[in-house]
């Protein structure tokens, strides 16, 4: 490991062993550097890296603290990484989504509360109302899936899938712009998911979610095949 990586690991170890629990304030820079046997510059580099990954946060005029270490924070980097992917890498992420999202949707069907179901229905109705507005349609598409993920009651799964699904939004927008009746098909697929959730039918919810994600994956695979002969569409980059 590089010296910076070693410094990062030393701070992580303090967090993992409970010396610096979630919400704890780091000791003053000079004191912590001496305790860890690091130069102050090296400590600063390690802190900057851990701030980027949401392990630490700097509060201006107050100091540096360990974050809540919640899944929403720690898995935020997944979405940021997906945002930088393009072409075949984006297709791989869609395959990951196909593996996880149907199972999550089935889990949501078994656990969803009336209020959560009403939230899903609200976004479905908004999608129906926005059939002629592709950007609004896709906004509520994203919100629909986030509501389903939240209904699983599993924060880690929700954060992971939220990052993966939301960062493919550009691909769905481009699909809506170029495919005939894409809005109608998208709404029909989401309506099928909602009905399965409302019925509390986990196997059906998993099946219709698999069909929905597979439709997107098939489209993306076909369009990537065409794009290899020329410039990739912006949404797939």
């Amino acid at each position: 490991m590089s010296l910076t990586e070693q410094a990062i690991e030393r701070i992580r170890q303090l967090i993992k062993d409970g010396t610096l629990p979630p919400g704890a304030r780091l000791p003053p820079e000079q004191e912590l550097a001496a305790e860890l046997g690091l130069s102050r510059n090296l400590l600063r580099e390690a802190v900057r890296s851990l701030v980027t990954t949401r392990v630490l946060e700097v509060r201006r005029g107050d100091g540096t603290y360990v974050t809540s270490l919640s899944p929403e924070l720690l898995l935020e980097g997944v979405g940021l990484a997906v945002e930088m992917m393009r072409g075949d890498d984006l297709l791989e992420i869609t395959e990951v989504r196909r593996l996880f999202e149907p199972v999550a949707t089935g889990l949501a069907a078994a656990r969803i509360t009336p209020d959560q179901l009403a939230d899903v229905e609200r976004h479905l109705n908004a999608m129906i109302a926005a059939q002629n507005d592709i950007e609004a349609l896709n906004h509520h598409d994203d919100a629909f899936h986030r509501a389903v993920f939240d209904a699983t009651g599993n924060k880690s799964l929700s954060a992971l899938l939220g990052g993966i699904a939301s960062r493919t939004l550009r691909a769905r927008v481009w699909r809506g712009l170029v495919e005939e009746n894409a809005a109608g098909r998208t709404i029909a697929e989401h309506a099928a998911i909602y009905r399965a959730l409302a019925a509390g039918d986990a196997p059906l919810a998993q099946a219709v979610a698999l069909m929905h994600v597979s439709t997107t994956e098939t489209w993306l695979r076909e369009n990537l095949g065409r794009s290899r002969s020329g410039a990739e569409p912006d949404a797939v980059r």
Side-chain angles (χ1 to χ4, degrees), residues 166-216:
S166 67
R167 301 302 177 174
T168 60
L169 187 60
R170 291 173 301 168
R172 293 202 300 271
V173 170
W174 192 68
R175 176 185 173 199
L177 291 173
V178 301
E179 282 197 58
E180 183 180 358
N181 196 33
R185 286 197 296 275
T186 295
I187 290 170
E189 291 169 2
H190 285 76
I193 293 172
Y194 169 76
R195 288 193 296 270
L197 293 173
D201 191 330
L204 178 60
Q206 184 168 340
V208 292
L210 176 60
M211 182 65 69
H212 172 57
V213 178
S214 296
T215 299
T216 301

Side-chain angles (χ1 to χ4, degrees), residues 6-118:
Q6 292 178 39
I8 292 170
E9 184 53 37
R10 290 182 188 178
I11 298 174
R12 282 177 174 166
Q13 189 57 47
L14 292 177
I15 296 171
K16 287 187 287 186
D17 67 19
T19 302
L20 292 172
R25 185 179 186 274
L26 267 63
E29 182 182 272
Q30 186 172 356
E31 179 183 330
L32 183 59
E35 179 183 339
L36 297 177
L38 304 171
S39 70
R40 295 177 70 174
N41 285 338
L42 195 56
L43 178 62
R44 287 171 192 158
E45 289 182 24
V47 167
R48 278 196 293 267
S49 177
L50 290 170
V51 167
T52 300
T53 57
R54 305 297 192 267
V55 173
L56 300 177
E57 63 175 334
V58 176
R59 301 178 187 174
R60 299 283 182 189
D62 189 13
T64 301
Y65 288 77
V66 180
T67 67
S68 65
L69 302 180
S70 67
E72 298 94 321
L73 281 175
L74 298 181
L75 291 172
E76 185 177 298
V78 173
L80 297 175
V82 172
E83 180 68 19
M84 302 304 296
M85 293 181 180
R86 52 186 291 163
D88 288 340
D89 292 333
L90 185 58
L91 180 58
E92 288 187 0
I93 287 297
T94 304
E95 290 178 345
V96 172
R97 183 185 171 200
R98 174 164 52 83
L99 291 172
F100 284 99
E101 188 168 323
V103 176
T105 306
L107 187 61
R111 297 179 174 179
I112 197 164
T113 67
D115 286 345
Q116 289 171 329
L117 183 62

